[in-house]
Amino acid sequence: MQTKNRMPQNGADNRNRNSKRRYYTYRKASKKPGVLPPMETEKVRISFLGGMNEIGKNMTLFEYKNDMFIVDCGLAFPSAELLGVDIVIPDFTHIVNNQERIKGIIITHGHEDHIGGLAYLLKQVNVPVYATKLTIGLIKGKLEEHGLLGSVKLVEINPRDNITLGQFNIELIHVNHSIPDAVGLAIKCPAGVIIHTGDFKIDTTPVDGDMIDLTRFADYGKRGVLALMSDSTNAERPGSTMSESSVGESFEHLFRKARQKRIIVATFASNIHRVQQIMDVAAARHRKVAVVGRSLENLVSVGADLGYLNVTKGILISVDEIGSYSDDKLVIITTGSQGEPMSALTKIAMGEHKKVSITPNDYVIISATPIPGNEKMVSNVVNALMMRGVEVIYENMYDVHVSGHACQQDLKLMIGIVKPKFFIPVHGEQKHLVKHASLAQSMGIARNNIFIGDIGNCIELSKDGINQVSSVPSGEVYVDGYGVGDVGNVVLNDRKHLSRDGIIVIAATIDAASGYVVSGPDIVSRGFVFVKENEELIQSIREISENVITQQYDKRYRDWNSVKTRLRDEVTHYVFERTKRKPMILPIFMEI
C-alpha cells in the first residue's frame, strides 16, 4: 500500500496523459507479413453485490485483470416479512471464491449500510481495510464485538491520499454527508478513471466547516472521466439539499418553545453532526444531556475520543442520573427515529423502558424523516406518545431534519463538473436509479452510455462501451442471533405459517408390542384457538387423531412417516372445514 498526502505534480500528470500505450494491449501478431495486429481496448469489470434496487447493503467489486478490490460492505435491516431476522448482509460467495485476488476493502464512511457486513466478511476473507479516521474508529467497535480486532489490518487514510491496490490507484475525495469523514473515490486503472461519489450531499455551510471538495471532482472532469457512479437516494427530490447547520436554528427555536418541559430528541444514531448541535443548544439552555441507546452511546464515545464531537465539560450525564434533575434541566437524546420495535424511543413510548418513563411534561422531537416503508412504525410511536399526553414534533412540522444525500440540482451539478462518458446510478431502489438516469440524460449523456444495474450484474467498461457480461453469485444472507445463513426460505415460510395460523401439537404414547395408544393423544394449541373456549373442537381433533393412529399404525413395520402424514392430512382437512384456517400440525409419537 502506498499513500501520498500531496496532489500529483503537473509533470506527473503529463507523464500519465502521455503514456497512451499503457491503455492498450495487443493480440498475438498476425502471421501475414506487413499486417499490424488489431488493438484491444483495456477493460475494467464491476460487479454489484449490494446497494442496487434496494436501500442499504452497499457493496461493489472492481476487477482489472488479476486484481480486485471492494468498495464498502454494508447491511440492510429486515423487512416485516423476515420474521425474527436481525440483519441482512450480502452474499459473499463470489468474494470467497476469488479471495486470492482481493487486494483490499475501501470503506467510504461509517454508516451501517456501508460497514455493517464487514465483520462477517472478514471472518471468511482476511484482507486489509482502508478508511478515514472516524470510520476506522467505528469499524474497530464492530470487530471487537466479533473478536477480530487484533487479526485484521486497518489502515487509516485521509482525503487526497492515494492507495495502490494491484493495478488500481484510488484517490480519496472529501464529500459532505450526515456523518464526518465521508469520501468519494477516484478509481484509476489502465482502462480509465471511474469516479464513485459514495453517499454525498453538497453542503456549503457544513457543521464541521469542511465543504465537499468540488475542486478535485472538477480536476478529474477536466482530465477525462470514463464513468461516474453516483448516489441516487434522493434522485426523486427536486432542488438542493439543505445544509445541516439549518437544523441547529430549529433546535434553538424548539428548545425555547419547550419552556419547563423535559426534551427528548430522537435521531439517527450515526448522525454525529446532529448530536453536536443538540448538545450545543442544550449547553446554551443550561440543560444536562443523557444519551439512551447502545449505538448512540457508542457513537458519542468514539466521536468524543477522536475529536469529532465537542462535548462541553459536565454536560453529559448517565441515564441513571436523570432522576436527580428537574425536567427543565434535561435533554435526552435517543435512538428510534424510524419507529423500530426494539428501539429506545419505542420502548419509552410504550411504557416499557426500564429507566425512562414518559409523562405529559415531555416534549418529544423526532429529528428524522421516515425511510420508505417505515412510515407506519413511526406513526405508531407518535400515536402512542400523544395518547400519553405528550407534545410531539415530527416529520415536516419544523426543520428538524435535513437529508445527508444530494437532491436533483446537486446530482446534476456533480454530473456537470465530472463530465463522464458513461453514467451508472447506484445506491437506491429501481425508481431512484431510473430517475437519476433521466437526470443524466438531461445533462447530455446518451441513453446508450447509461447502465442501470441490479444485484449480481457484472459489467465490462472501456472507452468503447459499457456491457453486461455475466452474473455473479449474489443475494441476501440472513443473520439471526449468532446464526449466519442458517435461516433460509424454508425456515422463513414456517415462521410465516406459524404467525398466520398457529400450531397444533398432537402427542401420543404407543405400546410398541400391540400398537395401541396407551396415553393421549394430547392436543396442545398455540396461536390457533383459545383451548378453553373451543373444547368441542379440541375433543374432535383428539378423536380423529386416535382413530388415525389405531388404523394406520403397523406394529410390524412401524412406519412412523406414513402415520404422521395421514394424521396431518386428516386433521388439516377437519380443521379447515370447521375454521377455514390451516395451522401447522406437528405429531409427536413415543413408543414404550
Side-chain angles (χ1 to χ4, degrees):
M1 193 278 292
Q2 298 177 4
T3 61
K4 300 178 183 178
N5 292 321
R6 298 181 180 177
M7 295 169 51
Q9 300 299 315
N10 291 335
D13 289 346
N14 291 334
R15 285 194 299 274
N16 288 338
R17 286 197 294 269
N18 293 333
S19 301
K20 300 284 186 181
R21 65 179 182 276
R22 291 193 313 150
Y23 292 87
Y24 301 97
T25 183
Y26 290 90
R27 296 192 183 118
K28 291 182 179 180
S30 170
K31 294 182 179 179
K32 189 173 181 180
V35 177
L36 292 174
M39 230 170 10
E40 185 177 291
T41 307
E42 294 282 6
K43 298 176 181 178
V44 59
R45 285 194 173 188
I46 305 172
S47 299
F48 304 106
L49 302 179
M52 303 291 273
N53 284 310
E54 65 179 352
I55 300 296
K57 202 158 64 65
N58 299 291
M59 188 176 190
T60 309
L61 178 69
F62 291 83
E63 174 185 358
Y64 177 77
K65 293 189 176 176
N66 200 45
D67 297 325
M68 292 179 168
F69 79 96
I70 301 165
V71 173
D72 292 329
C73 184
L75 60 75
F77 292 104
S79 62
E81 294 82 28
L82 299 178
L83 301 172
V85 174
D86 296 324
I87 62 172
V88 183
I89 59 176
D91 184 340
F92 301 136
T93 301
H94 187 57
I95 303 297
V96 173
N97 291 343
N98 292 276
Q99 56 185 301
E100 296 82 6
R101 303 170 61 192
I102 307 293
K103 304 302 180 183
I105 304 172
I106 300 178
I107 305 296
T108 58
H109 64 279
H111 280 160
E112 290 286 344
D113 57 336
H114 292 258
I115 68 171
L118 189 58
Y120 298 96
L121 174 61
L122 292 172
K123 288 179 181 179
Q124 302 180 60
V125 180
N126 195 340
V127 294
V129 178
Y130 303 87
T132 49
K133 185 177 181 180
L134 177 61
T135 308
I136 287 288
L138 296 173
I139 289 172
K140 284 182 177 179
K142 296 284 184 186
L143 298 184
E144 188 172 11
E145 289 179 10
H146 289 263
L148 297 173
L149 186 56
S151 59
V152 175
K153 182 180 180 182
L154 300 175
V155 183
E156 184 181 312
I157 47 180
N158 300 303
R160 296 267 182 135
D161 281 355
N162 282 263
I163 308 162
T164 299
L165 300 176
Q167 296 193 60
F168 288 100
N169 182 269
I170 305 99
E171 179 180 343
L172 277 67
I173 305 175
H174 171 71
V175 299
N176 298 131
H177 190 37
S178 54
I179 190 170
D181 269 7
V183 293
L185 307 174
I187 301 164
K188 295 159 281 186
C189 70
V193 176
I194 301 169
I195 298 293
H196 191 302
T197 64
D199 286 354
F200 83 101
K201 65 186 283 187
I202 296 175
D203 193 339
T204 55
T205 57
V207 173
D208 60 8
D210 198 2
M211 184 180 163
I212 182 174
D213 194 350
L214 292 176
T215 302
R216 199 60 181 147
F217 284 109
D219 286 343
Y220 280 102
K222 292 175 184 177
R223 300 179 193 179
V225 170
L226 179 65
L228 171 63
M229 302 173 69
S230 185
D231 174 20
S232 306
T233 307
N234 274 356
E236 294 180 304
R237 298 186 183 182
S240 297
T241 307
M242 292 178 62
S243 172
E244 176 66 31
S245 60
S246 65
V247 178
E249 300 172 5
S250 295
F251 281 136
E252 289 179 3
H253 169 71
L254 291 170
F255 277 34
R256 287 195 301 270
K257 188 179 176 184
R259 299 183 183 276
Q260 305 303 309
K261 293 185 175 183
R262 182 177 65 174
I263 299 171
I264 299 176
V265 186
T267 188
F268 288 110
S270 59
N271 197 333
I272 199 168
H273 291 149
R274 191 74 45 83
V275 173
Q276 180 70 72
Q277 292 186 95
I278 296 168
M279 286 188 172
D280 289 344
V281 178
R285 308 295 298 179
H286 306 291
R287 289 177 180 255
K288 298 291 185 180
V289 175
V291 178
V292 180
R294 182 182 176 190
S295 55
L296 192 55
E297 292 170 8
N298 180 58
L299 178 82
V300 170
S301 175
V302 173
D305 289 345
L306 298 179
Y308 290 90
L309 192 62
N310 182 21
V311 181
T312 303
K313 186 176 180 180
I315 192 175
L316 272 179
I317 62 172
S318 74
V319 68
D320 296 316
E321 297 178 83
I322 61 177
S324 303
Y325 297 88
S326 58
D327 288 349
D328 63 330
K329 297 298 182 183
L330 281 175
V331 174
I332 297 174
I333 309 176
T334 181
T335 56
S337 61
Q338 295 301 304
E340 304 94 324
M342 299 304 293
S343 66
L345 182 63
T346 300
K347 290 181 178 179
I348 292 170
M350 302 302 174
E352 299 173 355
H353 199 279
K354 295 179 180 179
K355 298 182 179 180
V356 181
S357 298
I358 204 76
T359 74
N361 201 45
D362 283 320
Y363 189 82
V364 177
I365 303 169
I366 300 180
S367 182
T369 300
I371 295 170
N374 290 353
E375 295 89 351
K376 183 60 179 176
M377 291 193 296
V378 175
S379 179
N380 290 341
V381 172
V382 172
N383 289 333
L385 289 167
M386 288 184 171
M387 288 178 69
R388 294 173 178 268
V390 177
E391 185 175 357
V392 185
I393 307 299
Y394 61 99
E395 292 191 20
N396 297 322
M397 294 176 65
Y398 293 89
D399 293 328
V400 292
H401 175 69
V402 296
S403 176
H405 301 269
C407 293
Q408 290 180 359
Q409 290 303 315
D410 298 335
L411 294 174
K412 290 197 288 187
L413 176 59
M414 180 62 72
I415 295 170
I417 63 175
V418 171
K419 301 180 179 67
K421 182 173 183 178
F422 301 102
F423 180 73
I424 306 169
V426 295
H427 300 179
E429 298 173 359
Q430 183 71 13
K431 61 180 181 178
H432 304 124
L433 305 179
V434 170
K435 186 62 178 179
H436 203 174
S438 69
L439 294 178
Q441 282 187 266
S442 72
M443 294 294 293
I445 299 179
R447 181 64 188 88
N448 290 340
N449 286 2
I450 299 173
F451 181 82
I452 300 176
D454 196 2
I455 295 176
N457 287 166
C458 177
I459 62 172
E460 276 189 348
L461 187 62
S462 72
K463 69 180 184 63
D464 292 336
I466 181 170
N467 300 292
Q468 183 178 340
V469 292
S470 62
S471 293
V472 298
S474 63
E476 299 179 332
V477 174
Y478 305 133
V479 179
D480 187 353
Y482 289 117
V484 180
D486 57 351
V487 175
N489 289 331
V490 173
V491 174
L492 287 174
N493 287 336
D494 284 347
R495 289 180 179 180
K496 292 175 185 176
H497 190 177
L498 290 168
S499 69
R500 288 193 304 264
D501 301 308
I503 185 172
I504 296 174
V505 179
I506 304 170
T509 303
I510 301 169
D511 188 312
S514 65
Y516 293 119
V517 177
V518 296
S519 177
D522 295 321
I523 310 300
V524 179
S525 170
R526 292 291 183 270
F528 171 53
V529 294
F530 186 49
V531 173
K532 290 184 178 180
E533 295 180 359
N534 292 271
E535 291 183 357
E536 181 186 348
L537 176 64
I538 298 301
Q539 179 59 33
S540 298
I541 295 173
R542 182 179 292 111
E543 292 173 358
I544 292 171
S545 301
E546 187 171 5
N547 290 336
V548 170
I549 295 170
T550 302
Q551 294 171 9
Q552 293 294 314
Y553 188 83
D554 188 323
K555 61 184 179 182
R556 288 192 305 163
Y557 299 106
R558 295 179 176 83
D559 188 354
W560 292 77
N561 289 332
S562 65
V563 179
K564 290 180 179 179
T565 300
R566 177 67 183 276
L567 182 57
R568 288 193 193 97
D569 292 343
E570 292 285 343
V571 174
T572 298
H573 177 75
Y574 173 76
V575 168
F576 185 75
E577 288 293 321
R578 287 286 303 272
T579 67
K580 298 302 178 185
R581 303 180 201 171
K582 290 185 176 181
M584 182 179 291
I585 310 298
L586 181 61
I588 300 175
F589 296 157
M590 181 173 65
E591 283 187 313
I592 60 171

